[in-house]
Amino acid sequence: MLGHRTLNVQDYLSILKRRWWIIAIPVVILPILGVAATYFITPQYVSTTVVLVDSQKVSSEYVKSLATQPLDTRLAYIEEKVLSRSKVEPIITKYNLYADQHISMDAKIALFRSPKTLAITPIQSELARTNGLPGFSISFTASDPHTAQQVCADITGLFTTENLAAREDSASDATKFLQDRLDDAQRKLDDQDKKMADFQKQYMGMLPGDTSGNMGLMSSMNSQLDAATQSIQNLQQSKSVYEALLSAALAQSAPSGVAASKAPQAEQTQLDLLEARKAALLQSYTSEYPEVKDITRQISDLRAEMARAPSTPPSAASATPAPKRPESMSVVQLRAQLSGIDNQIHQKEAQQAHLQSQIQSYESKIQASPQVEEQYKALTRDYQTDQAAYNSLKAEINSSQMTNDLEHRQFGETFRLLEEATLPTEPISPKVSVFASAGVGIGLMLGLAIIALLEYKDTALRTEQEVWDFTHLPTLAVIAWSGQVIDAAPAKNGLLKKLFNRKPSKDLITDAQG
């Protein structure tokens, strides 16, 4: 527009009245072209499914949960496994996806993984007002509705399968790791058991718990030693008695003259010895003890024999010598008794020596007990540490096995399908309404742009206001448009030349410049 003045509403309405057809043509044609273009564009269908995350069905107080990481982290890990080439390529081959695009398999996989094709969206918990993830949705876009549904279902199945496999593998790996640790702990515990057994075998009787027993045994052996010593003393006294009895018996078997002179004295000595022996025995035993009863019987017999002995004059006895007689049976018995007493004395002395040796051995064990106890405490401390580690690992592996069994039975955290993969009935693109609206909008902007360009290049003056804005001179007259173009001669004034050479207009306005 000549002068490029500021336009008002009236100017805009005037321009629209003169050039409305420039807007109407693209506004009508472009929507038609947009609608027609939808028939040449491959439609895209979206199938969607919703998966909920079910928490563990058994309390974690009884069975430890394997969910040590947040759900979004584990979901991202499972997503990477599901979208790996080994999982995606078989699906592309199975449904012959993107066959019409004639691209490489790498390009197909990249197109399959793109957010425009496959979208995995976590569902935030709004009721709980937390950032928890009760589930997620999976959407897949394809050119065929059935293909979109089937691929979406396959992807959902891969998610549930991978989640279950990941949890089972985690439980199995935990169990295997704990089993290896348990085997190591078992070997260490076995080594400690062997060391403990060897130590107890080496220091038997010197262990901390054996001290009281050793003291008791040593006390008992001291009592036995005292008893053996007392028995030896008693046997020594008995031996003296029997030796005296043997001497008396031998004196009786001597010639009659000698026997007659020595018999009363020997018998009295024998009686004294027997009574002394009985008195010694009664200090330790009762009158019912066999040896006491035997000596009592011998005393009675000896006294009876002494009472029956005739009183023979010494001269007569010495005048008539008696022949030598063999030893009587009492002498043989006395010698046998003496031999038995000697054997008993030897046995008691051997027992006494053995008891003394045992007592010395137990004394040495008691003296060495503090050093052994120190070593035993160190060994026991290591054993208890290994035992505690073994028991702890045993409890852990039992819990891990329970968790493994829980995952096999699918009582742990699982992905549950809330909505099956939908079968889309209408494509998400192209939409006729969108293309038609876009055509109207583009046509309107194109028409306005063309009008603006034409108005910018237009130099015609159509109203008195335009003349005033351009010349700042009053209008003298208005000449009506005749419908014909006037061929004006070249004008000296450049302004008249512009006025007569411009495009035809309804009103031709002239000014006062000559």
Side-chain angles (χ1 to χ4, degrees):
M1 177 172 287
L2 190 63
H4 304 287
R5 64 184 179 84
T6 302
L7 302 179
N8 53 28
V9 177
Q10 188 65 32
D11 294 330
Y12 284 116
L13 292 176
S14 177
I15 293 172
L16 183 61
K17 183 177 180 180
R18 286 185 288 104
R19 303 186 186 274
W20 62 268
W21 53 274
I22 299 177
I23 298 176
I25 292 175
V27 167
V28 173
I29 294 177
L30 289 182
I32 295 175
L33 294 177
V35 172
T38 59
Y39 294 94
F40 298 96
I41 299 175
T42 302
Q44 299 294 320
Y45 297 87
V46 176
S47 177
T48 305
T49 183
V50 178
V51 180
L52 290 183
V53 180
D54 274 350
S55 59
Q56 183 171 298
K57 300 174 180 60
V58 180
S59 175
S60 58
E61 295 180 358
Y62 302 102
V63 181
K64 187 182 296 184
S65 175
L66 293 176
T68 57
Q69 295 179 337
L71 179 58
D72 51 355
T73 304
R74 289 183 284 120
L75 185 60
Y77 170 75
I78 296 174
E79 180 180 354
E80 291 298 326
K81 294 189 68 176
V82 170
L83 298 183
S84 62
R85 186 185 184 94
S86 60
K87 297 291 191 302
V88 172
E89 187 172 352
I91 296 177
I92 295 175
T93 305
K94 177 181 179 181
Y95 297 103
N96 197 22
L97 300 176
Y98 317 116
D100 55 342
Q101 298 188 20
H102 305 289
I103 55 179
S104 64
M105 180 56 69
D106 292 336
K108 292 180 180 179
I109 293 174
L111 186 59
F112 185 95
R113 294 173 178 172
S114 65
K116 293 182 179 180
T117 303
L118 180 63
I120 301 171
T121 306
I123 302 174
Q124 299 292 337
S125 176
E126 296 180 357
L127 294 178
R129 295 183 179 180
T130 62
N131 292 327
L133 300 175
F136 56 95
S137 63
I138 301 174
S139 300
F140 185 77
T141 304
S143 58
D144 180 71
H146 292 89
T147 301
Q149 182 187 31
Q150 292 171 356
V151 173
C152 185
D154 289 352
I155 293 296
T156 305
L158 286 176
F159 266 90
T160 56
T161 303
E162 286 297 330
N163 176 63
L164 183 60
R167 294 183 67 85
E168 289 182 354
D169 292 342
S170 178
S172 299
D173 293 343
T175 303
K176 183 179 179 181
F177 172 74
L178 291 174
Q179 186 63 51
D180 294 339
R181 293 284 304 276
L182 184 65
D183 293 339
D184 293 339
Q186 179 68 50
R187 285 191 293 270
K188 291 182 180 179
L189 192 61
D190 292 339
D191 293 339
Q192 290 295 335
D193 284 334
K194 186 176 182 303
K195 291 180 181 179
M196 185 70 72
D198 294 340
F199 186 85
Q200 291 176 348
K201 183 178 179 180
Q202 181 180 357
Y203 297 100
M204 183 178 298
M206 291 182 283
L207 299 175
D210 297 336
T211 303
S212 58
N214 291 338
M215 295 292 292
L217 289 174
M218 192 170 66
S219 177
S220 175
M221 289 181 181
N222 284 324
S223 300
Q224 295 178 17
L225 181 62
D226 293 339
T229 304
Q230 185 66 33
S231 297
I232 291 174
Q233 292 176 358
N234 293 334
L235 289 173
Q236 292 288 351
Q237 292 178 2
S238 298
K239 182 179 179 181
S240 300
V241 172
Y242 283 108
E243 285 178 348
L245 292 175
L246 180 61
S247 299
L250 291 175
Q252 290 179 359
S253 62
S256 58
V258 178
S261 60
K262 294 183 179 181
Q265 184 179 358
E267 289 176 352
Q268 184 63 39
T269 302
Q270 182 179 358
L271 180 60
D272 294 339
L273 291 174
L274 288 174
E275 288 179 349
R277 173 61 180 164
K278 180 180 178 180
L281 290 175
L282 288 175
Q283 292 179 358
S284 301
Y285 305 101
T286 63
S287 59
E288 298 298 325
Y289 190 69
E291 190 174 355
V292 175
K293 294 173 68 176
D294 185 36
I295 292 177
T296 303
R297 180 182 55 78
Q298 292 179 14
I299 292 172
S300 299
D301 293 342
L302 183 59
R303 284 179 177 177
E305 185 178 354
M306 290 174 64
R308 292 193 302 268
S311 57
T312 305
S315 58
S318 58
T320 307
K324 187 177 180 179
R325 294 178 298 177
E327 294 179 355
S328 63
M329 288 298 297
S330 60
V331 175
V332 175
Q333 291 177 353
L334 290 172
R335 286 180 174 175
Q337 289 288 341
L338 286 173
S339 178
I341 290 174
D342 288 336
N343 290 333
Q344 291 180 10
I345 290 174
H346 290 313
Q347 291 177 0
K348 291 296 181 180
E349 289 176 349
Q351 181 182 1
Q352 186 182 37
H354 177 72
L355 288 173
Q356 290 175 348
S357 175
Q358 290 292 323
I359 291 172
Q360 292 177 358
S361 174
Y362 281 109
E363 286 178 349
S364 63
K365 288 180 180 179
I366 293 173
Q367 292 175 358
S369 181
Q371 293 80 8
V372 175
E373 183 177 0
E374 184 177 358
Q375 299 178 14
Y376 184 78
K377 284 182 179 179
L379 187 61
T380 304
R381 185 166 50 250
D382 295 340
Y383 179 82
Q384 291 175 349
T385 301
D386 292 339
Q387 181 71 41
Y390 176 82
N391 293 335
S392 177
L393 286 172
K394 189 67 175 177
E396 290 290 338
I397 198 171
N398 289 335
S399 176
S400 179
Q401 288 174 351
M402 291 176 63
T403 304
N404 201 359
D405 184 57
L406 188 76
E407 296 299 334
H408 280 300
R409 296 185 181 186
Q410 298 186 11
F411 287 161
E413 185 182 86
T414 56
F415 290 168
R416 182 169 61 87
L417 193 63
L418 181 63
E419 294 181 4
E420 297 283 347
T422 58
L423 179 63
T425 56
E426 294 183 358
I428 59 168
S429 69
K431 290 184 177 292
V432 176
S433 60
V434 174
F435 274 73
S437 300
V440 172
I442 294 173
L444 182 61
M445 288 188 294
L446 181 61
L448 292 176
I450 293 173
I451 290 175
L453 181 62
L454 293 177
E455 288 296 324
Y456 180 79
K457 293 184 177 182
D458 189 8
T459 59
L461 298 175
R462 295 181 177 85
T463 64
E464 295 180 9
Q465 182 65 36
E466 291 179 357
V467 174
W468 172 259
D469 292 335
F470 181 72
T471 63
H472 296 286
L473 296 173
T475 302
L476 299 179
V478 176
I479 301 174
W481 172 249
S482 62
Q484 295 179 358
V485 178
I486 299 174
D487 293 332
K492 294 181 180 180
N493 194 312
L495 176 61
L496 293 178
K497 184 177 180 181
K498 290 182 179 180
L499 292 174
F500 286 102
N501 289 336
R502 59 182 171 80
K503 294 181 180 179
S505 60
K506 184 179 292 185
D507 298 323
L508 182 63
I509 302 173
T510 59
D511 52 34
Q513 292 180 350

